[in-house]
Amino acid sequence: MDYEKLGLRVGFEIHQELDTHKLFCSCPSTTKKEFKFEIKRRLRPTQSELGEIDRAALAEALKGKTFRYQITDNTCLVEMDCEPPHSLNEEALEIALQISLMLNAKPVDEIHVMRKIVIDGSNTTGFQRTALVAMNGRVQVEGLDFRIPTICLEEDAARKVDEKENEVIYRLDRLGIPLIEVATGPDFKSPEEAARAAFYLGALFRMTGRVKRGIGSIRQDINISIRDGARQEIKGVQQLELIPIVIEREVQRQLSLLQIRDELRRRGAKVGASVDATNIFRGTASKVLRKVLQRKGKIVALALHGFGGLLGREVQPGRRLGTELADHAKSVGLGGLLHSDELPGYGVSKEEVEKVRRKLSLGAEDAFVLLAGDEGKVRKAVEAVAERAKKTIEGIPEETRRALPDGNTEYMRPLPGAGRMYPETDIPPIPVTPDLLKKIELAERPEERVRRLQQEYGLNKDTAWQLAISDQLHLFEKLCKLAEPRLVASTLLETMVSLRRDGLDVSRIDEKVLTDLFSSLHEGKIAKEVIPEILRLACRGLTVEQAIKELGLKPLTEEEVRKIVIQAIKERENLIKERGMNAMKPLMGVVMRIVRGKVDGSIVARILREELQKFISE
Ligand SMILES: [Zn+2]
């Protein structure tokens, strides 16, 4: 796809959990498998203090859900909103300032904690606390050049553990964990460029040694637009590899929706009336609909004039225009919908389809959707789906969408309007003094570390990058005292990957195994050629010593090696007469075949050279 021609613009917000206690209390920032008890809350859409009801807040409130919060033993009254927040975690602020300075951003003079309305229940207070830390940063590295308009310090939301029809269950362990939020400008013009920038920022965070690692500790929200399309905010991309896919598929979705729009306009499409179709389905074979009828629910059919054949059109792999409409039925609590492009089907008969079409007076190019469930919800769903269908004729609505594991996205809520922040009155402003800034020590930037690793250890750039961002750098530097850096690097990176690919339990290869391994190598007990074999056995639980024994690697003494070398020389007298010292290389091969794994190659080479010189001079 020609992204430049499409006018693709991408920016993102990257959220990274900091490795310190919670932002507004001293609870540890850990997650828990167990909870102690639960509390129930119902959140109401509050008139924001700026006077306007938040568009996003309303969409959530429509769902009329209750929220259950699981209390873990690492939470206190602050997470439960039974006690005001304590003062802001100073260490978290220092980390945020450190990262800000590393990104060439200018810290603000005073930190003002603000409240940002969230009404999906993920915060017990109904808002998330956030504070602007620095502005106007810029990154120019490795061919990338992008702006960082804002850097904020925020509290993480509660963790959703389950969602039922009218209830969402959250666990409070994650609520309040400090996050740094780095927002880039809309400066990326291709999916690949955005992915590289996110990778760089992730690497830079790690350089501080003060951020959390592992799944869920870093999350991206991606803003995407194309020239004729609409801005979308895609929430919760957890894996870097997914970034380019999410962007590609969003572009694909917008292009498909634009084609559909044009077709709808050509046909003079419009959203029609809805009718109660419950009686048509009294004797239906459809399991879904029968279940609704058993619960005294309603089935409503909504006419979509001119939509025939387009509801079934794919907008992303496996997702159709019908799926887009179904998302809106789901957003008000319905299970989904059935549309005429997929009917007859799902137990709905041809006769039933005909009856619905007749009741709605539909023509050949017209379509309909069926919405089934309890009456109140169906009414809301008809409204929501009709609204979305209308927008399909107009173009593409701006939305907040959720990233799905395959890189597709689904509707979450409208893009929030402006004015959803107001001051947190419980926390006084914190001045960012010159003294505080003086205390902040910058960490090595990723590109600096890579350069250092290349220079100090003679690594190539790829390897240096891999090591720079791995959590094994410290171990690498330690092991380099025992062995050649490139060998240590290839063992930590390539050998481990290939063992993992073979399905072996590499978690057993810990620091002790690796230290023992390279010590044995250093002491000449083993040769480097047997490293993979020893590690293979270590994955099965053997110690390095046991593995050496198991492999029958009784190390050879120098004397034994010398005997083997002399023997080899004698057997190849003609070769040596012919080539002199140049016979060294073939002889080395011969000897190594005998002694491989039992003595280091460099020792063999030394002895061979000595003996060869002696033989020639005699
Ligand atoms: Zn707490």
Side-chain angles (χ1 to χ4, degrees):
M1 238 182 284
D2 188 345
Y3 292 107
E4 184 139 9
K5 207 166 150 200
L6 291 169
L8 176 71
R9 282 282 176 282
V10 178
F12 55 82
E13 286 166 11
I14 186 161
H15 301 88
Q16 166 74 63
E17 286 184 350
L18 305 182
D19 198 12
T20 168
H21 70 83
K22 287 191 176 176
L23 197 52
F24 296 108
C25 64
S26 46
C27 293
S29 294
T30 48
T31 51
K32 290 275 168 175
K33 284 204 176 73
E34 309 282 327
F35 66 95
K36 288 194 299 183
F37 59 91
E38 293 181 320
I39 51 173
K40 249 185 202 184
R41 293 269 171 87
R42 186 180 270 278
L43 294 179
R44 281 180 190 79
T46 48
Q47 190 95 6
S48 108
E49 287 178 13
L50 299 171
E52 87 186 70
I53 293 175
D54 191 86
R55 192 152 60 118
L58 261 181
E60 284 297 333
L62 279 173
K63 294 186 200 170
K65 280 183 175 154
T66 50
F67 302 105
R68 221 156 81 196
Y69 297 105
Q70 300 180 339
I71 315 299
T72 52
D73 62 8
N74 65 331
T75 54
C76 69
L77 292 170
V78 173
E79 287 94 329
M80 280 184 257
D81 192 30
C82 295
E83 191 182 301
H86 304 177
S87 58
L88 184 117
N89 175 344
E90 281 174 29
E91 191 188 358
L93 177 57
E94 280 174 26
I95 302 168
L97 284 169
Q98 182 189 25
I99 291 172
S100 298
L101 295 174
M102 286 167 71
L103 291 171
N104 310 305
K106 190 180 177 312
V108 295
D109 296 331
E110 238 179 10
I111 305 284
H112 291 264
V113 178
M114 304 293 283
R115 296 173 170 184
K116 187 158 72 180
I117 294 182
V118 282
I119 201 128
D120 62 359
S122 62
N123 203 312
T124 46
T125 53
F127 52 80
Q128 179 192 28
R129 296 186 187 95
T130 176
L132 181 65
V133 173
M135 295 167 77
N136 298 326
R138 183 151 185 176
V139 172
Q140 288 171 297
V141 67
E142 303 272 315
L144 289 165
D145 184 355
F146 59 96
R147 292 165 295 168
I148 310 272
T150 59
I151 297 170
C152 294
L153 186 58
E154 304 190 327
E155 55 181 2
D156 204 349
R159 188 155 61 99
K160 192 189 272 186
V161 287
D162 201 4
E163 182 158 14
K164 296 180 179 162
E165 212 180 321
N166 293 310
E167 192 179 52
V168 192
I169 302 164
Y170 287 104
R171 191 164 297 176
L172 292 190
D173 50 2
R174 204 182 70 183
L175 180 64
I177 293 182
L179 291 178
I180 185 166
E181 183 207 76
V182 174
T184 75
D187 298 347
F188 308 106
K189 297 188 178 91
S190 74
E192 177 270 328
E193 209 184 342
R196 281 203 298 131
F199 174 85
Y200 177 80
L201 290 177
L204 183 129
F205 298 157
R206 286 180 176 193
M207 297 300 114
T208 65
R210 298 160 92 187
V211 300
K212 288 196 183 286
R213 312 188 64 143
I215 300 240
S217 62
I218 188 160
R219 300 191 290 273
Q220 277 87 215
D221 295 344
I222 311 177
N223 284 293
I224 306 173
S225 64
I226 55 173
R227 197 175 296 113
D228 299 319
R231 192 165 75 86
Q232 310 291 325
E233 184 174 323
I234 293 164
K235 291 265 182 201
V237 181
Q238 297 205 5
Q239 288 152 288
L240 286 172
E241 306 81 64
L242 221 49
I243 292 176
I245 302 169
V246 165
I247 299 170
E248 282 159 25
R249 294 205 177 175
E250 178 54 27
V251 172
Q252 190 179 355
R253 189 182 75 92
Q254 296 205 18
L255 292 176
S256 308
L257 285 174
L258 289 173
Q259 275 174 4
I260 290 172
R261 176 200 65 182
D262 294 346
E263 179 64 22
L264 287 171
R265 286 180 178 175
R266 244 194 312 277
R267 293 183 188 178
K270 66 177 202 297
V271 175
S274 60
V275 295
D276 187 335
T278 315
N279 283 331
I280 294 174
F281 294 97
R282 287 292 171 207
T284 189
S286 158
K287 271 190 210 155
V288 193
L289 297 181
R290 247 184 7 231
K291 214 181 267 170
V292 169
L293 293 177
Q294 275 160 13
R295 291 194 316 208
K296 304 260 181 293
K298 289 277 176 206
I299 300 168
V300 171
L302 171 69
L304 296 173
H305 301 288
F307 279 71
L310 296 175
L311 293 175
R313 178 151 333 154
E314 221 172 47
V315 295
Q316 283 182 329
R319 283 180 57 89
R320 295 150 207 290
L321 177 58
T323 327
E324 293 267 305
L325 298 185
D327 285 348
H328 289 256
K330 284 182 189 161
S331 80
V332 294
L334 223 59
L337 56 72
L338 293 171
H339 63 78
S340 49
D341 282 353
E342 57 187 358
L343 301 176
Y346 300 98
V348 173
S349 70
K350 203 170 164 227
E351 290 69 39
E352 288 163 337
V353 171
E354 282 312 315
K355 279 183 191 166
V356 174
R357 296 192 79 93
R358 229 171 300 140
K359 193 155 188 182
L360 289 168
S361 315
L362 298 184
E365 269 195 344
D366 298 339
F368 68 85
V369 295
L370 290 177
L371 295 146
D374 54 70
E375 204 178 342
K377 268 188 199 162
V378 169
R379 209 180 316 120
K380 282 187 200 165
V382 170
E383 232 171 84
V385 171
E387 185 60 32
R388 179 65 188 89
K390 256 181 223 157
K391 285 183 182 154
T392 312
I393 308 168
E394 291 159 18
I396 302 167
E398 294 191 337
E399 289 171 348
T400 301
R401 302 179 65 83
R402 181 184 297 113
L404 300 172
D406 60 0
N408 282 343
T409 57
E410 66 179 13
Y411 171 79
M412 248 174 114
R413 54 176 180 258
L415 260 193
R420 48 202 297 256
M421 286 221 258
Y422 49 101
E424 165 60 83
T425 42
D426 286 326
I427 298 166
I430 305 150
V432 179
T433 60
D435 277 351
L436 173 57
L437 288 175
K438 229 180 276 163
K439 252 175 68 181
I440 312 285
E441 270 180 55
L442 301 195
E444 233 174 352
R445 289 189 177 83
E447 66 276 22
E448 291 164 352
R449 179 170 294 178
V450 166
R451 217 176 302 134
R452 178 172 68 82
L453 288 174
Q454 283 185 274
Q455 282 165 359
E456 259 176 55
Y457 299 106
L459 303 175
N460 66 36
K461 198 166 179 183
D462 264 2
T463 310
W465 264 105
Q466 283 184 61
L467 267 176
I469 57 163
S470 89
D471 44 12
Q472 292 190 307
L473 180 62
H474 181 69
L475 180 60
F476 166 79
E477 302 203 272
K478 214 171 119 184
L479 294 174
C480 280
K481 296 198 177 88
L482 297 169
E484 206 266 317
R486 266 175 293 194
L487 175 65
V488 177
S490 78
T491 304
L492 291 181
L493 302 170
E494 290 149 39
T495 309
M496 292 294 237
V497 169
S498 89
L499 293 175
R500 196 175 296 125
R501 260 191 218 132
D502 290 348
L504 292 162
D505 179 11
V506 293
S507 70
R508 286 185 142 143
I509 303 178
D510 55 13
E511 187 166 341
K512 179 168 174 1
V513 168
L514 288 163
T515 310
D516 288 352
L517 176 74
F518 285 105
S519 300
S520 302
L521 181 72
H522 186 66
E523 290 156 18
K525 288 188 191 158
I526 55 164
K528 65 173 187 285
E529 288 77 10
V530 293
I531 287 177
E533 286 313 307
I534 292 178
L535 290 178
R536 199 167 281 273
L537 291 170
C539 289
R540 302 211 316 248
L542 271 66
T543 63
V544 170
E545 202 181 333
Q546 287 165 340
I548 292 173
K549 220 176 256 167
E550 173 85 18
L551 290 171
L553 300 177
K554 208 156 60 74
L556 294 172
T557 60
E558 271 209 38
E559 208 173 317
E560 286 166 321
V561 176
R562 203 172 290 276
K563 253 188 217 157
I564 294 166
V565 168
I566 291 170
Q567 183 66 29
I569 289 173
K570 268 189 198 152
E571 282 167 10
R572 284 163 188 77
E573 217 170 310
N574 291 337
L575 179 81
I576 296 162
K577 271 185 192 145
E578 209 175 287
R579 297 168 78 174
M581 279 312 278
N582 287 335
M584 177 89 184
K585 207 173 161 198
L587 274 168
M588 187 69 190
V590 171
V591 177
M592 282 312 287
R593 264 198 293 282
I594 305 167
V595 304
R596 187 173 306 279
K598 299 177 182 177
V599 62
D600 194 89
S602 61
I603 297 172
V604 178
R606 176 173 53 78
I607 294 174
L608 180 59
R609 182 171 290 109
E610 285 168 12
E611 290 302 325
L612 199 55
Q613 272 162 350
K614 208 152 78 184
F615 186 82
I616 291 168
S617 61
E618 274 166 5

